[in-house]
Amino acid sequence: MALLEVKKLSVGYNTKKGFLKAVEAVSFSLDEGRSLGFVGESGCGKTTLGMALMGLLPPNGHVTDGQIIFEGEDLLEKSEDEMRKFRWRKISMIFQAAMNALNPVKRVQDQIAEAILTHNPNLETKEALRRVEKLFQLVGLPEGRMRDYPHQYSGGMKQRAIIAMALSCNPRLIIADEPTTALDVIVQHQILEETRDLQKELDLSIIFISHDISIVADVCDTIGIMYAGQLVEYGSREEVFDDPMHYYTRALISSYPTLTGEKRELLPIPGESPNLIEPPLGCRFCDRCHASGDSCSIGPPEWVDITPTHKALCGLCLK
Amino acid sequence: MECWSNGCTIMDNEKKTVLELRDISKIYKTRSSFFGPGGEQVVALNRISLTIYKGEIFGLVGESGSGKTTAGRLIVGLENPKEGEIYLNSTEISGLKGRALKEYRRKVQMIFQDPYQSLNPQLSIYESVAEPLIIHKIGGGVERLERVIQTLKTVGLSPPQEFLYRYPHQLSGGQRQRVAIARAMVLGPEFVVADEPTSMLDASYSAQIFNILLNVRDKLKVTILFITHNLAAARYLCDRVGVIYKGNLMELGPADEVIQNPKHPYTQALIDAIPKFGHCGEIREYKTFLRPQRKASEGVGCPFFKRCRKADETRCRIDVPPLRAVEDSHYAACFFAEPGHEKRPESDACLLGI
């Protein structure tokens, strides 16, 4: 059975200009111990999707349709109190730029212990600190630095502390939203490597959100490409990379500079993504797509199954 | 390898030096604080020498804190070096004053990292791009408008009339960065420093910015110093690159050569760190990065000694390897980079004793 199954999830925000459909009819499933990555440009709804899974949408955000089934239970039917118990113990999240959200006047060990104690009220502080020590070993932080304050840490160490905090209550699923964006290449590489090792060691499931397709491909078995609130392609990373079907995926890959092989001209994606308050009727990418025809803008595109595990939301992709 | 972009290779015989850094050092002192005495010295740049030729895009690659931004700031004159000289077209810049300094500032422009912070939110796009013209008293109303429109076209904001009276908050990140480029280009500079112009942008917008930089180089004949931490971007954009670590120039050479055939263990570590998937073909793994780091005394030996798996306990700990030619126009500051000095990385077993 899948650990997480999301069915036709739609999320929107009330804004001054109208109702913004940030995520529309996104479906996917994630098995135990697997990793899934969502890639898309800013504003495509990937962070909203993560927040909706955690039940942490801002007050003007609502899930308008769909189901989020985790271990057989629909999370959307749970009350806020039930969700609070659920969060962090079952699903935890590494928020975007979370390393800057560490409390500067509290020792790192106390901040992580606080997370443990909040969710396990019966635990003693001593025991929680012992657990922090284990977490430090797990994420590769020297135990001698437990009593330090966040400003004494480098960026990579802070990010490790945040990962330790996300792991503190032994969750089954971690949602990581751009966890390495502010880090240097070498530190990023280390963190990604460690994330992969941790995932294997603890048999975790991971949902990885990033705008950088190469980082997602480094960590995830399965990749979902998002564009303007919709999932537009979904498949194993080999399928999506070696045989991209949606024209947006192809454009994304060809706008990326490579290290080896022939130096080819990068083709930027022209134009801007559409307004999601009144999204276009047909394919949302068709204004920026060089292959689009008249039929693309008339009605919504249908999913095309390329292989049993690979599908794309594009009417032209097999032609 | 064949070159697909026009004018991307400069023949040796037409090389003309535009900018030269000679033994530049920059040292910052920490301020004394409530908790501590301060006065610690941080070496941001350590005796860097560089020559940049007319019409090339030179990439300065390194991690944050390596001193690459400091180098850019020294060149545009936002700060002064502690030691060494900077020459633009053979004129030393530290002595410039008054009108000559203003003229230098017209010729040398900078594109900053974050277009969300570098544009004044209260100025329309026209006002932002025309401001440098007003400061340098160039042209009258009509001519300024024409120049602004022309520059907006060059950076791919078309039709320009649609953007003139918009404000930064109405633009996407990619469009803002193009306005920032227009602002730097409107004065017709000779030299532009682009400090990580795509690091705040989505990957899909980066390609646009890269192509615009290539385009302005070809069209307006500007020379560009491109500061980045992304080697793949440097390979795409740059003719030559310099790799910098803790304020020291470690490797210097033609971009393709340095990336396909890196000589310095630090460059090799940078290449190892790039996500591999999706790059066509096999990428060699060098495994030169050492974890956990070695102990070393400050101020002596190779700057990369602590982190280098190849390092020699006796030599690299004490001596600073000079930047020396390993091949034609390819330089590296490593004892093992020179021909005949290839050394295999030590095995993990040997490292346990350190």
Side-chain angles (χ1 to χ4, degrees), chain A residues 41-42 184-186 189-190 193-194 211 214 217-218 241 255 257-261 263-264 266 268-269 272, chain B residues 4 63-64 172 175 202-203 205 207-208 211 232 235-236 259-260 270 272-273 275-277 279-280 283 289 291:
Chain A
E41 49 197 279
S42 39
D184 272 325
V185 268
I186 289 186
H189 179 64
Q190 289 170 2
E193 243 177 15
E194 278 155 26
H211 68 94
S214 65
D218 230 28
F241 256 104
S255 69
T258 58
L259 261 193
T260 50
K263 200 150 110 180
R264 55 181 169 73
L266 298 186
I269 308 171
E272 303 287 328
Chain B
W4 48 264
E63 295 172 87
S64 50
S172 70
Q175 288 172 334
D202 267 358
Y205 286 126
Q208 280 179 1
N211 287 346
R235 174 177 182 238
Y236 180 66
I259 288 159
Q260 307 286 353
L270 275 181
D272 277 353
K276 293 297 176 300
F277 211 89
H279 292 290
C280 26
I283 295 185
F289 194 74
R291 277 195 296 165

Side-chain angles (χ1 to χ4, degrees), chain B residues 7 16 18 64 87 121 125 129 150 171 177 288 316 332 347:
Chain B
K16 184 179 163 253
V18 172
S64 50
Y87 295 87
I125 303 311
V129 180
Q150 202 51 45
L171 304 184
Q177 194 58 293
T288 50
C316 303
S347 72

Side-chain angles (χ1 to χ4, degrees), chain B residues 14-75:
Chain B
E14 31 183 291
K15 275 180 186 172
K16 184 179 163 253
T17 302
V18 172
L19 190 96
E20 194 183 347
L21 307 185
R22 258 186 230 163
D23 273 338
I24 290 290
S25 296
K26 177 78 190 172
I27 294 168
Y28 291 106
K29 277 200 186 119
T30 56
R31 248 183 304 178
S32 60
S33 71
F34 186 72
F35 297 106
E40 267 177 69
Q41 294 200 337
V42 180
V43 180
L45 286 177
N46 186 13
R47 298 172 64 88
I48 297 251
S49 295
L50 267 184
T51 308
I52 299 177
Y53 303 114
K54 185 160 179 61
E56 78 172 342
I57 301 184
F58 184 92
L60 202 53
V61 185
E63 295 172 87
S64 50
S66 62
K68 54 194 198 304
T69 297
T70 305
R73 292 175 66 88
L74 292 176
I75 290 170

Side-chain angles (χ1 to χ4, degrees), chain A residues 94-134:
Chain A
I94 299 167
F95 295 96
Q96 209 165 348
M99 54 188 231
N100 302 327
L102 286 169
N103 187 342
V105 294
K106 280 181 100 174
R107 296 181 199 279
V108 175
Q109 62 170 14
D110 296 341
Q111 298 192 44
I112 300 175
E114 189 185 345
I116 298 171
L117 289 169
T118 312
H119 293 276
N120 304 282
N122 302 328
L123 220 61
E124 276 185 45
T125 314
K126 251 191 197 165
E127 211 150 313
L129 285 176
R130 220 168 294 145
R131 196 130 129 207
V132 175
E133 209 176 301
K134 276 200 193 122

